[in-house]
Amino acid sequence: MKALVFAALAASAWVGSAAVETVSNSKELQKAFERIAKSSPDKKEILIKSGVYFVEKTLNASSVTSLTIRAEKPGTVEICGGVRITGWKRVLGTPFWSAPAKTADGKPAFFRALVKNGKWVPVSVLPGGTNRYEHTARFGAFLLPNLAGHWSRPPTREENCVMPYKAEDIPDSMDLSSADIHFLHMWSDSLCTVEKVDRVAKTLVVNEPADWPMGAKEKYEYEIFNVREGMKPGRWFLDRQAGEVYYEPLPGEDVTKLEFVRPSLRNVLVIKGGADLTLDGIAVSGATPTIEQKPGFGGLASPAALIIRGVKGLTLKNVSVKNTAGVGLSLSGCSNAKAFECVFASCGACAVGVSGKDIVFERCLVTDAGLVHRASSGVFVSGSDIVLRGNEIRNVPYSGLIGFGNRNRFETNFIHHVMQVLHDGAAIYGLHVNGVMRGNVVRDVVALGKGFGVHAYYADENSRDTIIEDNYAEGMPVPIHNHMSANIVVRNNTIVNLGGDIVISFERCVGGEFTGNRIFCDGKLDTVLADLKKKVCPDTIRVYDNLAL
């Protein structure tokens, strides 16, 4: 065995033809990544001892072949891009504690997530719970299919930025200088900071144009995040001008004994290019978008804590990505990849974004996505020959799984408590081409408020030649929804809505079958079978051999 030094403080050695570098603190970890690309052995391994590693800059590796990043003991290593918040003091005359939240150069820090003892802390909010305010803006243009351009006329900037409000919802005494106004649209949302408030006219102007015009499709709901008036035990508020964070402790909590962390880095771990990469037993946390970065459809465009791009031959085993204000994992342009027994939890946007070819996710848990941006999915898939099998997806405000692409298969997944905030989505939603949804179980999906509805399985505009079979769906009036799609085969599914109606929908579709399904319904059973010209077409959509009970 021959000694090989990669970093002054790290223990490294040749083991056969592999270079193994053992690290035990953050500086060693940073050095290991800086040196690993320059190493000569055919196989390289970074072995990380147990602990939480706070890193001050993104860990990068590019075009590295045969690299393994492994926890010495699975589940005991966390690589965190966050910063501890210290110096907590009581705020006299209030139930709050406060601490400075500044960047290294002394400027106020911006963040939309806070972690306490490893757990996500909800921000202050009004009016709270499932309650919402309603503004008084109106927008009369028609909503068109995406293929037709979205709106019948383009909205003006004023229609996207000016919100007239009710005086009782925003009193003159309320300070909105640090607030986020959260607009709930149909399948998207907007999180906007406040430019100015006209207290006389009762209008509010946001800095960032909302994703939808104010009041479009009769969606008037909004809530206010990060205001002092929305504080209650277990919540926090950031004064963005002063750089001071406030927390109201839960009964019995001693703030001096709690550890608070704010996400700081845009990305924590980034690996681009190369082949034969393995991540085993590590956790990644603590990334945050800038205020300018938008989440995009399904929450996919937000920065990710863990980015893996363009790798051929990838294995993720017992990997966790958690407590990050943007996307958890972004896996793009990869091939021959597999992830199993991984956990993606407490993400501000989409938990997992997957694109590429020949990728398998199996026996993974995706939970609590969209904690900042509510129009986020649990998993967003785009590409070909991607398989999600035997995973659990839960606690998601929008669609549990969004799938775009060719020959993708979603099989034996358990998806529940999704579509908790928004509408016009599903447990499994997307544009499916030559796809398969098979053997999945969907339950506890209930619409909140008025909208286009929620579904279990949804083949949207331009989906075609896809099979939906052997699935279970419970508790939804329209469990299977096909819209502007072609040749969708729905067969041998079990559909249950005891105490309610069921509608089988092939809206504006051509081709397709609905056969061999078992339907349990106490209310009315109806069908929507229409082609792209809105004509009923029973000869085009074949319905036969179903059992209704």
Side-chain angles (χ1 to χ4, degrees), residues 286-297:
T288 187
T290 65
I291 199 168
E292 297 84 12
Q293 291 173 306
K294 299 296 183 181
F297 177 64

Side-chain angles (χ1 to χ4, degrees), residues 229-285:
E229 289 81 354
M231 290 285 279
K232 66 179 183 179
R235 291 188 178 267
W236 65 282
F237 158 76
L238 174 65
D239 185 331
R240 294 172 180 169
Q241 285 67 47
E244 192 81 5
V245 61
Y246 295 81
Y247 175 71
E248 183 171 346
L250 293 166
E253 277 189 331
D254 183 347
V255 175
T256 63
K257 296 180 180 179
L258 302 175
E259 181 183 65
F260 289 89
V261 175
R262 64 171 177 88
S264 179
L265 297 180
R266 299 294 164 263
N267 317 106
V268 180
L269 174 56
V270 178
I271 301 174
K272 298 180 180 179
D276 300 326
L277 170 68
T278 298
L279 272 61
D280 185 356
I282 67 170
V284 179
S285 68

